[in-house]
Amino acid sequence: MGFRLTGRTAVVTGSVRGPGPEMARGPDAAGAHVVLDGRHPVTLARAAARLWVEGGHDGTAAAFDVTDRDAAEQAPAGPDGVGILVGDVGDRDRRARPSPRPS
């Protein structure tokens, strides 16, 4: 028997695009209840459906912004709370930033 996370809850932030969906496969395959996070409910539902169909497991899709503390505190959790956090939130603010000052 390999590495198991049965009975644990893993929240995967930014799980809709980029490496997020792939990063959710590990805890899912190890038996964790996976909570997929994304800010856009429709694309989040599609990503969740792909993972659950391909992995054969069940989980939760929760649309919330992890930078919003109140929203994050309301996120679904398992009986153990959130035992595992996989962070894959990219830089959302695409505005130009000033260059760092030389030290």
Side-chain angles (χ1 to χ4, degrees), residues 61-96:
F64 65 94
D65 185 343
V66 296
T67 64
D68 178 340
R69 183 183 185 115
D70 292 334
E73 287 178 352
Q74 298 301 314
D80 65 331
V82 174
I84 303 159
L85 176 64
V86 180
D88 181 45
V89 175
D91 184 5
R92 294 188 191 133
D93 188 350
R94 304 281 191 235
R95 294 176 289 185

Side-chain angles (χ1 to χ4, degrees), residues 1 30 39 47 49 51 56 77 93 95:
M1 181 171 196
R39 293 182 300 145
L51 179 64
D93 188 350
R95 294 176 289 185

Side-chain angles (χ1 to χ4, degrees), residues 7-97:
R8 306 290 303 272
T9 298
V11 173
V12 182
T13 65
S15 54
V16 173
R17 293 183 186 91
E22 290 302 315
M23 293 170 70
R25 292 180 192 281
D28 181 62
H33 176 83
V34 177
V35 177
L36 298 179
D37 161 66
R39 293 182 300 145
H40 305 288
V42 173
T43 53
L44 177 62
R46 285 186 200 131
R50 278 191 304 273
L51 179 64
W52 308 151
V53 167
E54 292 170 8
H57 302 103
D58 193 15
T60 304
F64 65 94
D65 185 343
V66 296
T67 64
D68 178 340
R69 183 183 185 115
D70 292 334
E73 287 178 352
Q74 298 301 314
D80 65 331
V82 174
I84 303 159
L85 176 64
V86 180
D88 181 45
V89 175
D91 184 5
R92 294 188 191 133
D93 188 350
R94 304 281 191 235
R95 294 176 289 185
R97 290 194 167 67

